[in-house]
Amino acid sequence: YFTGKVKIGEILKNRLLSLPAVRGMCRVPVVLKIVCKVQEYMGEDGLPRTMSDIYKKYICGQLYHSQLKIDPQANVSVTDLSNIPSDVFPAFDKLCEISYQFCIDLKLV
C-alpha cells in the first residue's frame, strides 16, 4: 500500500506495535485499508489510539477529499464530525438522519 511512501509505512508499523487492539483489528482487510488510509492522512502525526477515532478521521478525510474532487478551490475544513457543514455535504447529513432513525427504531441494517 505504501509503495513510494516507505516512511509512512514504517511509522504505521511502529505505531501498531504500541496499539495491540488496533493491530488485531487489522486482520480484517477493510479495517486494514481504513487504518492505512488514516495513516496516510495523518502523515507523521501518528495514528489515533482507538478504532473509534480512526473511523472518525477516516470519514473526515473521505469527506474532505471528495469535496476537493468536486471543487479543487473549495475552502472546506473537515476536522470534526460534529461540525460537518450540511450545505456542503447534504448526502452525509441525510445518511446520518437515516442511521439515527434506524437506531431509534432498533432496526438492524
Side-chain angles (χ1 to χ4, degrees), residues 48-101:
R49 297 189 59 76
T50 65
M51 285 308 301
S52 174
D53 288 337
I54 289 169
Y55 292 138
K56 287 176 192 175
K57 290 288 185 189
Y58 178 75
I59 292 168
C60 289
Q62 290 295 103
L63 289 172
Y64 174 76
H65 289 289
S66 69
Q67 184 60 29
L68 284 182
K69 285 180 184 175
I70 294 168
D71 182 5
Q73 307 302 323
N75 186 15
V76 175
S77 176
V78 184
T79 57
D80 184 0
L81 291 180
S82 63
N83 296 325
I84 303 292
S86 60
D87 58 324
V88 178
F89 301 105
F92 182 73
D93 198 44
K94 184 64 178 171
L95 179 62
C96 289
E97 287 177 30
I98 292 168
S99 298
Y100 177 75
Q101 192 58 49

Side-chain angles (χ1 to χ4, degrees), residues 13-75:
K13 185 173 123 182
N14 292 332
R15 181 73 170 146
L16 287 175
L17 291 174
S18 67
L19 300 172
V22 173
R23 186 176 63 238
M25 292 293 296
C26 287
R27 292 183 191 130
V28 179
V30 71
V31 174
L32 177 59
K33 174 71 173 184
I34 289 170
V35 168
C36 288
K37 197 66 167 166
V38 170
Q39 183 63 60
E40 187 178 351
Y41 292 155
M42 302 295 294
E44 293 186 29
D45 290 339
L47 195 67
R49 297 189 59 76
T50 65
M51 285 308 301
S52 174
D53 288 337
I54 289 169
Y55 292 138
K56 287 176 192 175
K57 290 288 185 189
Y58 178 75
I59 292 168
C60 289
Q62 290 295 103
L63 289 172
Y64 174 76
H65 289 289
S66 69
Q67 184 60 29
L68 284 182
K69 285 180 184 175
I70 294 168
D71 182 5
Q73 307 302 323
N75 186 15

